[in-house]
Amino acid sequence: MSASWKTLAAGISVFALAACGGGDDTASSTQGDSAATADPAAQEIADTRHEGFEDLGEAFKTISDQLKTGEPDIAAIQASAAVVSETAAKIPDWFPEGTAPSDGVETDALNTIWGKPEDFAAAITRLQNAAPVLVSAAESGDAAAIGEAFKQTGGACKNCHESFRADDD
Ligand code: HEC
């Protein structure tokens, strides 16, 4: 293992968990208890949204896992970075009106998303700005560049989860 990959690997573990709340696979909702049962079409949108985020989480975790090895498979990181970037581009379409917890939908998305649309849009933009940098870094194969871009991307995940997702811990 090269020195730079080794240094990078040492920093990844703690960070990745904090950024993504990895391991929590439950779709349980702690909000909207008073609301009536959701429109099935709205629930379906929320379920598709949740699956989209799981794909995003899986791709990001693949990168994290590779970096942690200290001898990463660069091709795997490149492929996953592309998925992160492509998935990030879809996020704006995942939150139509009527799919909030206040609509009775079971979701980890918070009502704040619809209450503060500009803040939410900024949180999406932060990820959409970070992801292409991660893609380029992966293409370069440079350990330091990948490590930095991975951190920036994870920071964008965490930033949004802190304000707009339930149960982030
Ligand atoms: C703009 C806001 C935003 C950004 C950026 C964001 N997420 Fe999320 N994420 C959410 C919301 C909201 C949910 C809950 C969706 C739902 O349940 O309908 C979620 C759910 C998830 C889930 C599903 C499992 C769970 O605990 O609910 C995973 C995994 C996840 N995100 C990973 C990531 C990763 C990895 C990144 C960065 C590469 C990221 N997210 C970036 C808002 C965001």
Side-chain angles (χ1 to χ4, degrees), residues 7-43:
T7 313
L8 181 54
I12 294 299
S13 311
V14 180
F15 171 77
L17 230 130
C20 295
D24 177 10
D25 252 352
T26 57
S28 66
S29 175
T30 55
Q31 359 156 37
D33 299 331
S34 59
T37 308
D39 169 5
Q43 187 61 55

Side-chain angles (χ1 to χ4, degrees), residues 20 24 49-50 53 56 107-108 124 157 160-161 164-165:
C20 295
D24 177 10
R49 168 169 81 211
H50 193 84
F53 276 116
L56 181 63
T107 174
D108 290 331
I124 296 175
C157 313
C160 189
H161 292 164
F164 300 109
R165 188 183 74 172

Side-chain angles (χ1 to χ4, degrees), residues 21-73:
D24 177 10
D25 252 352
T26 57
S28 66
S29 175
T30 55
Q31 359 156 37
D33 299 331
S34 59
T37 308
D39 169 5
Q43 187 61 55
E44 203 178 310
I45 291 169
D47 291 347
T48 304
R49 168 169 81 211
H50 193 84
E51 283 161 23
F53 276 116
E54 283 184 346
D55 292 345
L56 181 63
E58 208 172 292
F60 195 71
K61 185 173 183 297
T62 299
I63 299 173
S64 160
D65 288 347
Q66 283 304 322
L67 295 178
K68 278 189 270 181
T69 65
E71 271 179 289
D73 175 346

